[in-house]
Amino acid sequence: MNSQINENKQVSPYFLFFLIHSSQIGIALLRYQGNVSKGAGSEAWMSILALGLSLHLLFYMMLYILKQSPSGDILSFHKDLLGKKLGGVLNLLLACYFSLAGIAVVYGYIDLLQVWVFEGIPSWEYALLLCCLAFYLVSGGFRVITGVAFWGVVIPIFLLVSFFYIVGFLEVSYLQPLFDHSLKDHFISIKAAIPLFIGFETALIYFPFIKNGKKASKWGHFGLLFTTIITVFITLVSFMFFAQGKIQHLTWPTLTMIKIIQFPFLERFEFIFIFTWLLVIMPVICLYLWSAVRSIKVTLPKLKPTTILLLLLALYLFVNSELIDIYYTQLIQKMVLISGTTILFCYIPLLFIISLIRQFIKKQKQG
């Protein structure tokens, strides 16, 4: 792996932990429980655990692919493997995926605000505010985004303390019976849980910006493990709080639990939770945007990054202002899920196999 990034633009290895974790935690964590429980029921936490642990193998594959890349990212790997034109096409397809995934996150947070906080405010006002904030952060460069990712993990982590408030309302018997579902049921739950973990594939783009990539890999694994622990913890709490017959009909189970928390000086604690969640989703939006901009810039070097960013944000603003029907929301979410699943579980293993074959042939020639 030969990184060509100046050291003053890189970040320390341990920041990979925050980048990986913050790229995965998003809106899906607030509303996933009903979908995952439709498969394995109260055992769906096992499905999530299995899926989270399997991502370590995918991350290892990603690192192996990047080692074979001339510049340490997948963009140069595409060009090295398929040539400038075909490789450039793949890079632009990746840029489309990252852009669409970012739009889906913005969609989700605006929907959250309109349902739980300010119902009467139109979508375009929220979209404009988020786009301005994203422009300020992304134009600051990768180090600024890394700083946002750091605080987007540290500050919201204190929200987990609020879950201990509802310990008295938990019913352990809701988790029983154990081992009562088939592999097919667990596969359904795994499929529904994939949106919880999509996002860390952006490391394929920004990994050259991590100093000493070999040492940084362990921090990436720690980030994946931490995401798995947080998700399994919230799943267990949710399944002990709600009966299975009820949780499958709730749109926002996490917020519904939080809603019971009240203090003498603060009646609506979920408002604090929702506004703090902006720190959680901003790193996701920024990483997707930055990855899309870099993918296009590397492929079409004549375009300026600021121009690309403004064009993408104009697209974000248009989609979140005009295409606000539930049909478009579901369509975009479905496209992101299919694309992200394909990249993680099909494309990355395929590139890994190709990398192994290329490395084997190279050694045979040298030997």
Side-chain angles (χ1 to χ4, degrees):
M1 195 186 315
N2 182 22
S3 176
Q4 300 174 352
I5 307 301
N6 293 331
E7 190 174 349
N8 60 355
K9 294 182 179 180
Q10 294 179 316
V11 298
S12 299
Y14 66 87
F15 278 112
L16 186 61
F17 169 86
F18 299 98
L19 288 165
I20 291 288
H21 177 65
S22 64
S23 65
Q24 294 180 299
I25 299 297
I27 297 298
L29 195 66
L30 304 179
R31 60 184 182 192
Y32 70 96
Q33 293 95 323
N35 290 329
V36 282
S37 66
K38 290 177 182 178
S42 59
E43 294 178 16
W45 65 270
M46 300 180 187
S47 308
I48 294 174
L49 178 61
L51 175 60
L53 294 178
S54 71
L55 296 183
H56 292 274
L57 178 59
L58 288 175
F59 187 62
Y60 169 79
M61 292 181 183
M62 288 168 54
L63 294 175
Y64 189 86
I65 294 167
L66 295 178
K67 286 180 181 179
Q68 315 306 320
S69 171
S71 299
D73 60 13
I74 198 171
L75 305 176
S76 59
F77 183 84
H78 282 158
K79 290 185 177 181
D80 184 51
L81 180 65
L82 299 172
K84 187 175 181 180
K85 291 185 178 179
L86 286 177
V89 170
L90 286 178
N91 291 343
L92 292 178
L93 287 175
L94 267 183
C96 291
Y97 163 69
F98 291 136
S99 301
L100 196 62
I103 289 175
V105 178
V106 176
Y107 248 128
Y109 191 66
I110 291 176
D111 183 38
L112 172 65
L113 291 174
Q114 289 180 326
V115 171
W116 283 85
V117 188
F118 304 119
E119 183 179 355
I121 297 179
S123 297
W124 73 266
E125 294 186 18
Y126 289 122
L128 181 61
L129 178 63
L130 290 173
C131 286
C132 289
L133 183 57
F135 176 79
Y136 174 75
L137 296 174
V138 176
S139 60
F142 183 73
R143 291 170 68 93
V144 172
I145 296 174
T146 303
V148 175
F150 173 81
W151 292 112
V153 173
V154 172
I155 295 178
I157 205 68
F158 290 103
L159 293 176
L160 291 177
V161 178
S162 61
F163 284 92
F164 291 99
Y165 183 92
I166 61 179
V167 169
F169 299 91
L170 303 183
E171 182 58 60
V172 179
S173 63
Y174 286 168
L175 296 177
Q176 298 174 344
L178 292 175
F179 308 108
D180 194 42
H181 291 81
S182 65
L183 288 176
K184 181 181 178 181
D185 294 331
H186 282 285
F187 180 77
I188 294 172
S189 293
I190 287 174
K191 184 179 177 181
I194 288 175
L196 293 167
F197 297 97
I198 285 178
F200 79 103
E201 65 274 10
T202 50
L204 291 167
I205 309 296
Y206 65 69
F207 201 77
F209 288 80
I210 308 296
K211 293 179 183 177
N212 202 342
K214 291 182 179 180
K215 290 185 177 180
S217 61
K218 66 179 181 181
W219 293 105
H221 286 289
F222 287 153
L224 290 172
L225 181 61
F226 189 58
T227 301
T228 302
I229 291 172
I230 294 295
T231 308
V232 171
F233 170 74
I234 294 177
T235 304
L236 286 170
V237 172
S238 302
F239 286 176
M240 287 188 287
F241 189 86
F242 299 108
Q244 286 297 307
K246 183 177 182 179
I247 199 170
Q248 294 180 8
H249 295 89
L250 294 174
T251 306
W252 304 93
T254 304
L255 291 176
T256 304
M257 286 192 299
I258 295 299
K259 192 175 180 180
I260 71 167
I261 301 176
Q262 292 183 354
F263 299 101
F265 57 89
L266 181 65
E267 186 175 352
R268 301 298 298 273
F269 177 75
E270 71 270 19
F271 283 7
I272 302 297
F273 196 96
I274 290 169
F275 291 130
T276 306
W277 211 253
L278 178 62
L279 287 172
V280 175
I281 61 108
M282 280 313 300
V284 187
I285 297 172
C286 291
L287 282 170
Y288 278 134
L289 262 176
W290 184 90
S291 299
V293 170
R294 181 160 178 81
S295 299
I296 297 173
K297 171 61 180 174
V298 170
T299 308
L300 305 172
K302 291 184 179 180
L303 291 177
K304 294 183 178 179
T306 304
T307 303
I308 301 170
L309 178 59
L310 287 173
L311 289 174
L312 289 178
L313 287 174
L315 176 64
Y316 275 41
L317 184 58
F318 171 78
V319 171
N320 284 279
S321 301
E322 301 298 328
L323 306 181
I324 57 176
D325 189 86
I326 187 66
Y327 167 79
Y328 296 107
T329 304
Q330 293 176 345
L331 177 62
I332 290 176
Q333 290 175 348
K334 187 175 181 180
M335 291 173 65
V336 171
L337 176 59
I338 293 173
S339 302
T341 304
T342 303
I343 289 173
L344 286 179
F345 296 98
C346 296
Y347 190 58
I348 289 176
L350 176 62
L351 290 184
F352 175 70
I353 293 171
I354 293 174
S355 299
L356 285 176
I357 295 173
R358 291 180 73 198
Q359 189 68 8
F360 176 77
I361 294 174
K362 185 179 179 179
K363 288 183 178 180
Q364 288 293 98
K365 288 181 179 180
Q366 291 176 348

